[in-house]
Amino acid sequence: MIGMTLDGRKAGLIGALALTAAALAGCETYGSATAPRQFAVLETDTTGATNVNIASLSDVISRNPSDAGAYVTRGAAYARSGQFGEAITDFSKAIQLDPNSASAYNNRALAYRQTGRNDAAMQDFSKAIAIDPNFSAAYIGRANLERAQGDLNGALNDLNVAIRLAPESAEAYHARGLVRQKQGQNPEAIGDFAAAIDRNPFVAAPYAARGQSLVTLGQYDKAIEDFNAALNVNAKDAGSWAYRGLAYEKTNRRKEASESYQQAARLDPNNAVAKQGVGRMQGGLF
């Protein structure tokens, strides 16, 4: 990482370590008012590779303590392993060494979100954008935070910019779909989720989100197809099991509905859609 340019650090960090806005900022579930809010988290590294990487990066830093890029990269490795306090410390050191590092501000914002420091995260996303107005990931990150805080117009504006800057970004389309979904614009949301899936068909969240919009529009068979696709990618997604149960229930396939609700409840006993569905199936109500 020694001697890399700011753009090089940014590209390597965002691409290699998956500290994307979608991964860290999370996506809010959509549906009834009683449905719990769920946020995606980074998958913990169980291979030990991250710890080896952190150790090697620490060696680099010990030899080059003024290399801001090395701190940014080690901070991303810390975040990947769930050590967000250490990540924030490294990103802050990178900013001290290089106040114009948009990637350091963006990644510190993502780490702040994981620790519930949303005001600090908003400031850092905005600072990253001020330094580099073409940094699409920072717009996505800020938009996800704006959506969580209820500023849907602000989120939509940021995502329109992100899509203009990075038209192949699946994360940007997925995030805009979530905003439009929350605004009640389900046909437009479905279009955005489809665009996200076209760009990256190997992520469960856009299928699940599109399925929820399809349920809202009464297109239950298409919704079931999307929930099946989501579960093929991530069979532990309680939300997809629960909403698949709802779609089955709406088409009077009670056996399939009951099985889906029960699986959702096993994975997440607090899932409101699943709990209510299990209750209806057991009580014979619809």
Side-chain angles (χ1 to χ4, degrees):
M1 305 304 294
I2 301 170
M4 290 181 68
T5 65
L6 173 60
D7 288 341
R9 291 198 303 270
K10 182 193 304 178
L13 180 63
I14 297 300
L17 296 175
L19 276 175
T20 63
L24 275 174
C27 59
E28 192 173 331
T29 59
Y30 178 81
S32 69
T34 58
R37 185 175 291 179
Q38 298 178 343
F39 294 93
V41 297
L42 283 178
E43 188 173 330
T44 302
D45 175 19
T46 59
T47 67
T50 298
N51 288 334
V52 172
N53 193 36
I54 289 171
S56 64
L57 289 168
S58 296
D59 288 341
V60 172
I61 289 171
S62 67
R63 295 193 299 271
N64 303 275
S66 298
D67 182 6
Y71 284 99
V72 172
T73 307
R74 189 178 69 176
Y78 275 130
R80 191 184 216 178
S81 66
Q83 300 178 67
F84 296 107
E86 290 84 350
I88 290 168
T89 298
D90 269 0
F91 296 140
S92 297
K93 180 63 175 180
I95 289 166
Q96 178 186 343
L97 292 169
D98 180 3
N100 291 316
S101 174
S103 60
Y105 276 106
N106 182 67
N107 283 283
R108 190 173 70 173
L110 294 169
Y112 276 146
R113 282 220 66 190
Q114 288 294 93
T115 57
R117 299 169 66 180
N118 287 337
D119 289 345
M122 184 68 79
Q123 291 176 3
D124 274 2
F125 283 132
S126 296
K127 183 66 175 178
I129 290 167
I131 292 170
D132 183 357
N134 295 317
F135 195 175
S136 60
Y139 288 99
I140 298 171
R142 188 169 71 177
N144 282 329
L145 180 51
E146 288 165 336
R147 186 187 80 245
Q149 294 179 336
D151 181 8
L152 299 183
N153 289 332
L156 189 61
N157 289 336
D158 273 347
L159 291 167
N160 287 339
V161 174
I163 289 170
R164 175 175 58 80
L165 292 171
E168 293 306 310
S169 170
E171 292 84 3
Y173 277 104
H174 177 225
R176 192 173 71 175
L178 292 173
V179 173
R180 287 175 160 171
Q181 193 178 60
K182 202 165 186 179
Q183 290 175 323
Q185 299 176 10
N186 284 289
E188 294 83 357
I190 287 170
D192 276 345
F193 296 138
I197 291 166
D198 285 343
R199 285 157 177 78
N200 186 355
F202 305 109
V203 177
Y207 292 106
R210 187 172 67 178
Q212 291 169 19
S213 281
L214 288 166
V215 167
T216 300
L217 295 177
Q219 300 181 41
Y220 303 119
D221 288 334
K222 288 184 178 180
I224 290 167
E225 290 178 5
D226 270 352
F227 294 129
N228 286 339
L231 292 168
N232 281 337
V233 177
N234 179 14
K236 295 182 179 181
D237 179 14
S240 290
W241 285 106
Y243 277 98
R244 191 179 77 164
L246 182 61
Y248 276 135
E249 184 179 3
K250 291 292 187 180
T251 54
N252 204 31
R253 285 175 271 185
R254 297 179 62 83
K255 179 178 181 295
E256 293 89 343
S258 180
E259 291 171 350
S260 290
Y261 285 140
Q262 289 175 16
Q263 179 63 12
R266 282 192 288 269
L267 291 168
D268 179 8
N270 295 318
N271 185 290
V273 174
K275 287 197 296 185
Q276 293 167 8
V278 168
R280 287 193 301 273
M281 294 296 99
Q282 291 175 344
L285 300 176
F286 179 53

